[in-house]
């Protein structure tokens, strides 16, 4: 009987890390790599692996023994009865190290295989991995005459740079296991760090680039486990001084601990931190938003939508949304949060309505709009999501945007206007415009300011919020283009020796003392106060691919690739130009490593980026629930601004 064997190959071995017992130490235990099932798409009329060049032809009815890995696809020909014609092709292609039979590798522990009987039209399964270095692999393709073309292509992993291979090794070395299954990656895995604090925990926001790297590389099990286990933690009791936050709050991080039971029995448990142990005791608002974004990315990149359709997942999703959409005293559609509730998790003057939270909130609402099961029980929630999306996009585009024209308008604002038709709605005093901004803003660029409250505009440029506004289409297409124009024009300030600044400019002198409380970690041009964070590369790459500015992303990634391996993958860099490793920066920071890897894979497969960003949704912009036109008191302000907002 004819036989097809399918094998997955990886150039790097993977490992898992299990965190045991101690609050400050971890131990690493080796365990077999999890099986990861992928699907090779085949049809009766089309069978293709890889690209096509230097074709030789075989009848499509011939049967082959071929090898597949998670990075590239290749062919090894297995004769059953008629050896001559097929063997000549294999010989002419100089396919080295490929076996012409399965049996002679039975005792090789690097090989595990599944045999699919009956021909190429069956849906094959992908099995384990081959730890061998092959220089090239052939591809096959059926032409219009019913023949299969065979060509030789370079294996993709061979094309990986030394920095990428090291990054993959480090990323897999940071994997945390719970009950034998991978559930995340530690924040940092520096063997020389004797006091890791909470850097030995799995953070939700930190794991996102790791998850994307694994998904883009074809490894989905760890991401699925992470999503489900953090969902279970959502329902845990969390209190600070006898007060419990609202249902739906996701933890900032969790740690795998081993606890003793009766006798000598031990049990692994997950120990979450909802902010009750965090420095400053701040609840992680962004954790739930990132969880929703990752849930959508998992479905898009794997094609497995059954996870988001589960009852427990739908329930957890609704709990996060209800927490975010709860009515309060706020007059604005933006989300009101305390200082330190996102990536900037220390006091930095971002309390109120910081752009980063608004961009993630908008993105999470768009994700939820796609994933929520449409039924009678969710109709009110879906309606609330649509209304909030419409109001939030208008609010951010209209009031957070600044460019040369807008700054000049603010410069001429009249104040103390008491009117429904006021131009200066937030009573912003022109004297708030900082002197540095007037000289810094380029003619062709613009950006979304960091925060907006009554009588207060934070004119600092916050990179993550602006990049995610591009990714989620919170900004208009014209605004998104202008943001990248500004980054390119001001590269010496925002990129320089190490991309990218978390914010610009830094707080210094009396401003630093008052706003940060004299924080010794957030000194000027360090850490959150103008430090350079390589993990922002993946959001930057995604935004550049979306806007057709891929060369700008390549420039940033190439710059980082030269320094990160030499500097041992630090968390952040200090000084105005990012020349020095941060004074308190952890080395082997996982989201530095995974952010770099995700950027490299997106640049190699830019078509995958379209699954991770959103295009403009013009239907949302037409939704208006203010009912002002019906009341007759005045016209809705949206109509006057629509010509600007829709471009």
């Amino acid at each position: 009987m004819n036989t097809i064997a399918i094998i997955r190959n990886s150039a790097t071995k993977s490992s898992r890390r299990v965190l045991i017992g101690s609050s400050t130490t971890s131990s690493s235990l080796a365990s077999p790599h999890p099986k990861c099932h992928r699907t090779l798409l085949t049809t009766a009329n089309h069978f293709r692996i890889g690209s096509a060049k230097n074709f030789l032809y075989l009848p499509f009815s011939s049967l082959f023994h071929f090898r597949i890995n998670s990075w590239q696809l290749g062919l090894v020909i297995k004769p059953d009865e008629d050896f001559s014609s097929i063997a000549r092709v294999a010989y002419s292609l100089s396919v080295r190290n490929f076996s012409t039979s399965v049996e002679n590798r039975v005792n090789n522990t690097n090989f595990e295989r599944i045999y699919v009987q009956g021909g190429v039209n069956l849906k094959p399964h992908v099995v384990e991995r081959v730890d061998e270095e092959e220089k090239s692999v052939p591809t096959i393709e059926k032409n219009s005459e019913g023949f299969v073309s065979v060509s030789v292509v370079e294996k993709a992993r061979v094309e990986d740079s030394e920095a990428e291979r090291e990054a993959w090794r480090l990323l897999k070395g940071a994997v945390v296991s719970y009950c034998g299954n991978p559930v995340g990656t530690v924040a940092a895995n520096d063997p020389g760090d004797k006091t890791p604090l909470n850097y030995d925990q799995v953070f939700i926001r930190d794991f996102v680039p790791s998850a994307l790297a694994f998904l883009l590389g074809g490894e989905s099990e760890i991401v699925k486990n992470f999503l489900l286990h953090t969902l279970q933690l959502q329902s845990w009791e969390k209190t600070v001084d006898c007060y419990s936050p609202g249902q739906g709050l996701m933890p900032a991080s969790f740690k795998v601990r081993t606890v003793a039971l009766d006798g000598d029995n031990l049990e692994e448990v997950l120990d979450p931190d909802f902010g009750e142990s965090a420095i400053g005791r701040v609840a992680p608002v962004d954790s739930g938003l990132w969880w929703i974004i990752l849930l959508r990315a998992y479905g898009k990149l794997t094609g497995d939508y059954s996870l988001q359709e589960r009852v427990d997942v739908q329930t957890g999703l609704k709990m996060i949304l209800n927490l975010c959409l709860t009515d309060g005293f706020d007059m604005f559609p933006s989300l009101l949060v305390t200082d330190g509730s996102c990536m900037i998790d220390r006091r930095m003057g971002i309390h109120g309505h910081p752009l980063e939270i608004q961009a993630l909130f908008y993105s999470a609402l768009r994700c939820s709009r796609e994933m929520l099961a449409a039924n009678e029980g969710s109709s009110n929630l879906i309606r609330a999501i649509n209304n909030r999306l419409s109001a939030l996009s208008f609010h951010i585009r209209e009031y957070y945007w600044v460019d040369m024209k807008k700054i000049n308008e603010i410069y001429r604002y009249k104040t103390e206007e008491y009117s429904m038709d006021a131009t200066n709605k937030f009573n912003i005093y022109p004297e708030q415009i900082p002197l540095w901004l007037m000289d810094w803003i380029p003619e062709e660029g613009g950006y979304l300011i960091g925060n907006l409250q009554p009588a207060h505009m934070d004119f600092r440029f916050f990179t993550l919020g602006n990049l995610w506004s591009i990714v989620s289409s919170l900004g208009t297409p014209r605004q998104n283009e202008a943001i990248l124009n500004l980054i390119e024009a001001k590269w010496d300030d925002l990129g320089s020796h190490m991309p990218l600044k978390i914010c610009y400019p830094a707080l210094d002198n009396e401003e630093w003392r008052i706003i940060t409380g004299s924080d010794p970690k957030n000194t000027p041009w360090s850490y959150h106060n103008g430090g350079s964070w390589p993990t922002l590369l993946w959001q930057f790459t995604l935004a550049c691919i979306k806007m057709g500015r891929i060369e700008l992303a390549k420039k940033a990634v190439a710059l980082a690739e030269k320094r990160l391996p030499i500097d041992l993958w630090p968390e952040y860099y200090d000084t105005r130009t990012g020349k020095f490793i941060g004074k308190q920066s952890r080395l082997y920071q996982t989201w530095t490593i995974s952010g770099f890897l995700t950027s490299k894979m997106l640049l190699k497969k830019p078509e995958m980026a379209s699954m991770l960003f959103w295009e403009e949704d013009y239907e949302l912009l037409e939704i208006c629930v203010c009912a002002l036109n019906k009341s007759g008191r005045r016209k809705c302000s949206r109509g006057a601004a629509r010509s600007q907002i829709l471009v």
Side-chain angles (χ1 to χ4, degrees):
M1 181 175 290
N2 295 323
T3 300
I4 295 178
I6 302 183
I7 304 165
R8 195 182 84 222
N9 179 290
S10 173
T12 58
K13 296 180 179 180
S14 71
S15 62
R16 292 204 194 129
R17 179 167 298 276
V18 181
L19 300 182
I20 303 291
S22 170
S23 62
T24 60
T25 60
S26 63
S27 61
S28 178
L29 303 177
S31 61
H33 193 279
K35 294 181 179 180
C36 183
H37 299 286
R38 299 177 182 77
T39 301
L40 171 69
L41 299 178
T42 64
T43 66
N45 296 322
H46 186 210
F47 189 92
R48 176 173 180 167
I49 306 179
S51 60
K53 58 181 178 178
N54 303 325
F55 287 142
L56 297 172
Y57 293 102
L58 297 172
F60 189 63
S61 57
S62 299
L63 293 173
F64 316 105
H65 164 201
F66 54 95
R67 173 177 300 160
I68 299 174
N69 67 61
S70 59
W71 312 102
Q72 178 67 324
L73 301 174
L75 168 71
V76 177
I77 301 171
K78 179 186 184 302
D80 276 323
E81 298 177 359
D82 183 8
F83 174 86
S84 58
S85 62
I86 303 177
R88 281 195 299 272
V89 175
Y91 179 79
S92 67
L93 289 171
S94 301
V95 181
R96 289 172 287 182
N97 298 327
F98 286 122
S99 170
T100 55
S101 68
V102 175
E103 289 74 14
N104 64 354
R105 293 190 185 265
V106 166
N107 295 321
N108 188 336
T109 58
N110 288 332
F111 284 75
E112 298 179 49
R113 30 175 68 76
I114 291 176
Y115 297 94
V116 182
Q117 307 293 334
V120 296
N121 291 329
L122 291 178
K123 181 179 180 181
H125 297 277
V126 175
V127 281
E128 279 52 311
R129 54 183 67 243
V130 184
D131 292 316
E132 296 181 344
E133 291 286 338
E134 284 124 6
K135 299 299 182 184
S136 62
V137 290
T139 61
I140 60 176
E141 183 174 7
K142 181 185 176 184
N143 68 4
S144 59
E145 299 176 354
F147 289 87
V148 172
S149 55
V150 183
S151 62
V152 177
V153 296
E154 290 297 314
K155 193 174 74 170
R157 247 326 152 77
V158 174
E159 296 175 357
D160 285 354
S161 65
E162 182 62 32
E164 290 173 84
R165 290 193 288 271
E166 180 186 0
W168 274 114
R169 177 180 61 81
L170 293 171
L171 179 60
K172 293 186 176 183
V175 170
V176 175
S177 285
Y178 171 62
C179 298
N181 297 310
V183 293
T185 52
V186 290
N189 197 22
D190 183 357
D193 187 2
K194 304 304 180 183
T195 55
L197 295 178
N198 57 353
Y199 281 81
D200 60 352
Q201 298 188 20
V202 181
F203 281 80
I204 288 187
R205 77 172 68 93
D206 291 40
F207 182 68
V208 172
S210 296
L212 294 179
F214 284 122
L215 290 173
L216 290 168
E219 300 289 344
S220 61
E221 180 189 9
I222 185 173
V223 183
K224 183 175 183 178
N225 292 341
F226 171 85
L227 289 167
L228 290 176
H229 282 297
T230 49
L231 178 66
Q232 293 173 352
L233 297 176
Q234 182 190 42
S235 61
W236 281 36
E237 181 181 357
K238 46 263 187 184
T239 60
V240 177
D241 295 336
C242 301
Y243 177 77
S244 298
Q247 284 190 329
L249 181 67
M250 298 293 281
S253 62
F254 65 86
K255 184 178 176 67
V256 178
R257 300 187 187 276
T258 300
V259 296
L261 301 177
D262 296 336
D264 296 330
N265 296 325
L266 300 175
E267 182 183 22
E268 287 185 337
V269 297
L270 296 178
D271 183 12
D273 176 16
F274 292 91
E276 67 268 36
S277 300
I279 298 171
R281 302 298 189 268
V282 178
V285 177
D286 65 335
S287 287
L289 307 178
W290 277 122
W291 186 88
I292 293 174
I293 292 168
L294 183 57
L295 178 63
R296 174 187 181 267
Y298 174 86
K300 289 284 187 179
L301 292 175
T302 65
D304 177 16
Y305 295 98
S306 61
L307 179 63
Q308 59 191 237
E309 294 168 356
R310 289 174 44 152
V311 174
D312 56 340
V313 174
Q314 287 282 314
T315 301
L317 180 59
K318 291 177 182 178
M319 288 174 66
I320 298 172
L321 293 171
N322 287 329
L323 185 62
C324 294
L325 296 171
T326 300
D327 293 332
F329 292 102
D330 208 336
M331 292 291 292
F332 313 130
S334 46
L335 206 57
L336 178 64
V337 300
T338 61
D339 215 339
S341 57
C342 52
M343 178 181 176
I344 298 178
D345 56 3
R346 299 170 75 91
R347 181 175 164 188
M348 271 291 292
I350 66 168
H351 56 280
H353 306 86
L355 177 64
E356 178 180 332
I357 289 293
Q358 312 318 318
L360 294 175
F361 181 37
Y362 183 80
S363 182
L365 290 177
R366 292 198 65 174
C367 291
S368 303
R369 192 167 175 246
E370 297 177 24
M371 297 187 296
L372 274 176
N375 52 50
E376 186 177 348
S378 62
S379 58
N380 290 336
L381 184 56
I382 293 174
R383 187 181 304 111
I385 289 172
N386 288 333
N387 294 341
R388 193 64 167 265
L389 280 169
S390 177
L392 182 60
S393 63
F394 175 82
H395 183 78
I396 299 296
R397 294 174 178 193
E398 178 72 3
Y399 303 123
Y400 276 61
W401 179 252
V402 292
D403 54 13
M404 185 70 77
K405 179 182 177 182
K406 183 67 175 181
I407 293 172
N408 196 38
E409 180 184 325
I410 297 172
Y411 183 71
R412 294 169 53 83
Y413 266 171
K414 295 179 180 180
T415 59
E416 316 302 332
E417 293 181 290
Y418 183 78
S419 169
M420 284 189 172
D421 299 319
T423 300
N424 187 1
K425 292 182 175 63
F426 298 92
N427 199 34
I428 303 298
Y429 299 106
E431 289 76 13
Q432 288 187 26
I433 302 175
L435 294 177
W436 65 264
L437 181 60
M438 294 183 176
D439 295 327
W440 190 73
I441 191 78
E443 291 282 351
E444 300 300 325
Y447 66 100
L448 296 167
I449 61 171
N451 212 326
L452 176 66
Q453 300 182 70
H456 173 67
M457 296 181 78
D458 186 346
F459 287 98
R460 286 177 291 176
F461 177 88
F462 288 87
T463 303
L464 177 55
N466 275 276
L467 292 179
W468 210 253
S469 295
I470 296 174
V471 171
S472 64
S473 286
L474 177 56
T476 69
R478 183 181 296 173
Q479 290 171 349
N480 295 340
E481 190 68 38
I483 292 170
L484 291 183
N485 287 342
L486 179 139
I487 293 175
E488 185 171 27
K490 296 299 176 181
W491 186 256
D492 290 343
D493 294 325
L494 302 175
S496 195
H497 288 90
M498 175 54 66
L500 289 150
K501 287 290 179 194
I502 191 171
C503 68
Y504 182 92
L507 302 171
D508 57 9
N509 301 321
E510 193 69 7
E511 193 177 32
W512 165 78
R513 187 185 68 80
I514 294 172
I515 293 179
T516 73
S518 302
D519 188 347
K521 193 169 185 177
N522 274 333
T523 54
W525 306 110
S526 180
Y527 202 50
H528 297 140
N529 190 15
S532 300
W533 291 68
T535 188
L536 294 171
L537 278 172
W538 74 269
Q539 291 104 323
F540 182 61
T541 301
L542 192 56
C544 287
I545 292 174
K546 177 184 176 180
M547 301 307 297
R549 305 282 285 275
I550 195 167
E551 293 304 318
L552 187 58
K554 288 180 178 179
K555 172 184 174 181
V557 174
L559 184 62
E561 188 168 8
K562 291 179 181 178
R563 290 197 61 187
L564 290 178
I566 297 173
D567 295 340
L568 304 182
W569 309 93
E571 180 182 14
Y572 64 95
Y573 287 77
D574 281 355
T575 74
R576 182 185 289 267
T577 60
K579 184 177 291 187
F580 293 99
I581 298 173
K583 58 185 175 182
Q584 296 188 41
S585 176
R586 262 40 180 210
L587 302 179
Y588 301 104
Q589 186 79 14
T590 304
W591 69 350
T592 295
I593 296 165
S594 57
F596 166 74
L597 282 174
T598 299
S599 298
K600 292 289 288 188
M601 284 190 284
L602 287 173
L603 289 175
K604 290 178 181 179
K605 305 184 222 178
E607 68 280 0
M608 302 296 287
S610 63
M611 301 182 186
L612 301 175
F613 61 68
W614 293 259
E615 297 293 351
E616 180 70 282
D617 188 339
Y618 293 99
E619 180 183 342
L620 283 175
L621 302 178
E622 298 298 327
I623 299 174
C624 180
V625 295
C626 67
L628 286 174
N629 290 330
K630 297 178 182 178
S631 70
R633 295 179 63 194
R634 70 180 181 92
K635 292 184 178 180
C636 175
S637 60
R638 181 169 308 192
R642 184 163 296 168
S643 59
Q644 174 189 340
I645 297 304
L646 287 175
V647 296

